[in-house]
């Protein structure tokens, strides 16, 4: 038995939680049952763990996590020192699972269980068959609100147009192998866009499909503003196309300017030079707007450089509760 256990993969299921007290009890019930089942039927090692990452919640999330760790030896808890956002919480969980749990495979799943946890079984099977990355892909989004669906779809389309390689309808529900977790150590960027990074790592990538359901309880931690920021960050941390576009815009404007130059000279020498208030006002504001926009795009990249150059830590860990 002990011999066999030795060969079983250690699975870590990383769950980022930010103010999730409403949903956590039912989430824990389902995930703990799932992991216990996988341990019992010999799919994964008894050293496997459910790792809740508390991303600086202000409600009773951490107290709930502490109690789950007490009651169930398969549960571990990681408390971050403050709110660092979804991507950093995931990274903290992945780092800890790799270094402290020595996990052979790490699954990340959102606390609201909108992504079907049963797909973890299939992910693990694919992992045992040699996959290094298994992406969870939503089959349809009919359960999402119209607004969420449309904005999310627009997001993928924009990303692809900007040259960022992402998998359509795949968020942060995936399995990665230990060597992918090690590969991620070599991406020190502060501006973390995990789905782009992981996809670009390569290795043997597979997908599993599942139906996305509604949030079990509580409300979305990604309001529109955060989503737009996330999209801008995703694009600017992966692609320099926006700066190219600014350059193209400049070229087009120079060509238009040549046309206007001809027109101006013609008007001056034929004595019609004074009229043209409308075209004057329009070009003033239009060109002014374009210049500001261009500055904004370039500024965005400079801001990114500024953040990266400082090289501040992505997160700090306050507590780590683990049942060895
Ligand atoms: N989350 C986090 N830190 C944050 C915001 C969100 O760890 O600052 C977690 C949250 O608890 C959840 C996951 O990220 O487990 C996804 O958030 P949510 O379900 O609210 O996003 P949505 O599914 O609406 O895009
Ligand atoms: Mg959600």
């Amino acid at each position: 038995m002990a011999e066999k256990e030795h060969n079983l993969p250690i699975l870590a299921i990383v769950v980022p939680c930010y103010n999730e007290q409403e949903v956590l009890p039912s989430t824990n019930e389902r995930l703990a049952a799932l992991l216990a089942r996988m341990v019992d039927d010999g799919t994964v090692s008894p050293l496997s763990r459910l790792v809740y990452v508390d991303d600086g919640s202000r409600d009773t999330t951490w107290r709930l996590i502490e109690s789950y760790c007490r009651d169930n030896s398969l549960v571990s808890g990681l408390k971050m020192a403050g709110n660092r956002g979804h991507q950093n919480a995931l990274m903290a969980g992945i780092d800890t699972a790799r270094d402290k749990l020595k996990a052979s495979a790490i699954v990340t799943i959102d606390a609201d269980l909108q992504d079907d946890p049963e797909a973890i079984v299939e992910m693990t099977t694919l992992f045992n068959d040699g996959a290094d990355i298994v992406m969870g892909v939503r089959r349809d989004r009919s359960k999402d609100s119209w607004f969420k669906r449309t904005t999310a779809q627009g997001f993928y389309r924009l990303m692809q147009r900007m040259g960022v390689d992402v998998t359509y309808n795949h968020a942060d529900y995936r399995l990665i192998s230990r060597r992918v977790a090690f590969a991620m150590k070599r991406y020190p960027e502060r501006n973390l866009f995990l789905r782009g990074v992981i996809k670009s790592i390569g290795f043997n990538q597979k997908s599993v499909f599942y139906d996305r359901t509604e949030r079990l309880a509580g409300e979305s931690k990604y309001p529109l503003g955060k989503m737009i920021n996330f999209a801008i960050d995703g694009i600017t941390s992966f692609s320099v196309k926006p700066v190219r576009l600014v350059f193209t815009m400049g070229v087009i404007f120079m060509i238009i300017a040549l046309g206007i130059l001809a027109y101006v000279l013609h008007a001056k020498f034929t004595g019609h030079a004074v009229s043209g208030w409308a075209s004057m006002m329009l070009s003033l504001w239009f060109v002014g707007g374009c210049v500001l926009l261009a500055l904004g795009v370039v500024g965005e990249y400079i801001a990114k450089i500024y953040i990266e150059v400082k090289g501040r830590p992505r997160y700090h860990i306050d507590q780590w509760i683990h049942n060895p």
Side-chain angles (χ1 to χ4, degrees):
M1 181 69 190
E3 187 95 327
K4 187 162 172 266
E5 272 175 16
H6 227 77
N7 299 323
L8 291 174
I10 300 175
L11 177 70
I13 303 178
V14 170
V15 191
C17 310
Y18 177 55
N19 296 342
E20 299 285 11
Q21 61 180 11
E22 284 93 5
V23 81
L24 219 46
S26 46
T27 297
N28 182 54
E29 210 168 288
R30 284 185 63 186
L31 288 181
L34 177 81
L35 187 59
R37 202 177 79 212
M38 290 175 80
V39 170
D40 284 344
D41 60 22
T43 320
V44 295
S45 156
L47 297 173
S48 299
R49 291 290 180 270
L50 244 171
V51 182
Y52 290 111
V53 182
D54 177 18
D55 185 19
S57 300
R58 275 179 301 247
D59 62 1
T60 60
T61 298
W62 179 245
R63 247 177 293 153
L64 287 174
I65 295 173
E66 280 178 318
S67 74
Y68 302 150
C69 293
R70 261 198 309 276
D71 300 343
N72 185 347
S73 60
L74 288 178
V75 178
S76 301
L78 185 70
K79 186 177 194 296
M80 311 231 304
N83 180 246
R84 304 289 296 128
H86 186 201
Q87 303 290 297
N88 288 313
L90 287 173
M91 207 56 240
I94 291 170
D95 287 342
T96 307
R98 179 193 59 226
D99 299 338
K100 299 236 163 69
L101 297 177
K102 312 283 178 224
S104 344
I106 303 167
V107 170
T108 50
I109 184 168
D110 286 351
D112 55 9
L113 293 197
Q114 283 188 282
D115 309 301
D116 183 9
E118 287 301 321
I120 293 175
V121 178
E122 206 186 328
M123 287 179 178
T124 313
T125 310
L126 285 170
F127 165 74
N128 284 331
D129 290 345
D132 280 285
I133 298 173
V134 187
M135 322 233 185
V137 179
R138 291 158 203 163
R139 206 174 276 130
D140 81 322
R141 304 182 74 116
S142 53
K143 293 278 172 49
D144 270 345
S145 70
W146 175 86
F147 181 73
K148 180 93 202 180
R149 203 165 57 229
T150 326
T151 48
Q153 229 99 65
F155 169 74
Y156 291 111
R157 218 155 284 154
L158 184 67
M159 296 297 284
Q160 263 148 10
R161 187 147 310 162
M162 288 291 151
V164 187
D165 190 13
V166 286
T167 303
Y168 203 65
N169 270 348
H170 159 69
D172 283 306
Y173 183 26
R174 71 175 84 76
L175 177 147
I176 58 171
S177 66
R178 184 166 179 75
R179 57 179 182 164
V180 172
F182 270 109
M184 287 171 73
K185 271 179 109 164
R186 300 174 64 186
Y187 291 74
E189 60 224 64
R190 306 301 110 184
N191 231 292
L192 201 54
F193 187 64
L194 283 176
R195 36 191 120 156
V197 165
I198 290 177
K199 185 141 195 203
S200 71
I201 288 178
F203 289 125
N204 180 8
Q205 308 197 359
K206 291 266 159 40
S207 297
V208 298
F209 296 87
Y210 63 93
D211 292 317
R212 184 161 160 101
T213 51
E214 278 161 71
R215 210 174 211 286
L216 285 178
E219 51 195 43
S220 174
K221 309 296 183 289
Y222 268 104
L224 182 64
K226 253 196 190 176
M227 251 167 48
I228 293 175
N229 279 335
F230 189 55
I232 294 178
D233 281 346
I235 293 165
T236 51
S237 63
F238 258 86
S239 150
V240 289
K241 262 201 180 161
V243 190
R244 269 299 142 67
L245 285 178
V246 166
F247 178 75
T248 316
M249 194 169 82
V251 171
I252 294 171
F253 270 55
M254 291 303 282
I255 294 168
I256 296 175
L258 284 179
I260 293 179
L261 177 76
Y263 166 73
V264 167
L265 288 179
H266 171 80
K268 184 165 172 60
F269 290 117
T270 50
H272 301 292
V274 176
S275 72
W277 175 83
S279 57
M280 196 74 154
M281 286 305 277
L282 231 129
S283 42
L284 195 70
W285 283 91
F286 183 66
V287 174
C290 287
V291 170
L292 282 182
L293 186 107
L295 259 178
V297 173
V298 176
E300 181 67 32
Y301 283 92
I302 295 179
K304 289 258 141 72
I305 297 170
Y306 168 69
I307 303 272
E308 296 297 339
V309 157
K310 281 197 289 187
R312 291 188 172 175
R314 284 167 171 159
Y315 57 82
H316 295 287
I317 290 171
D318 183 353
Q319 280 183 62
W320 165 238
I321 308 182
H322 179 56
N323 302 291

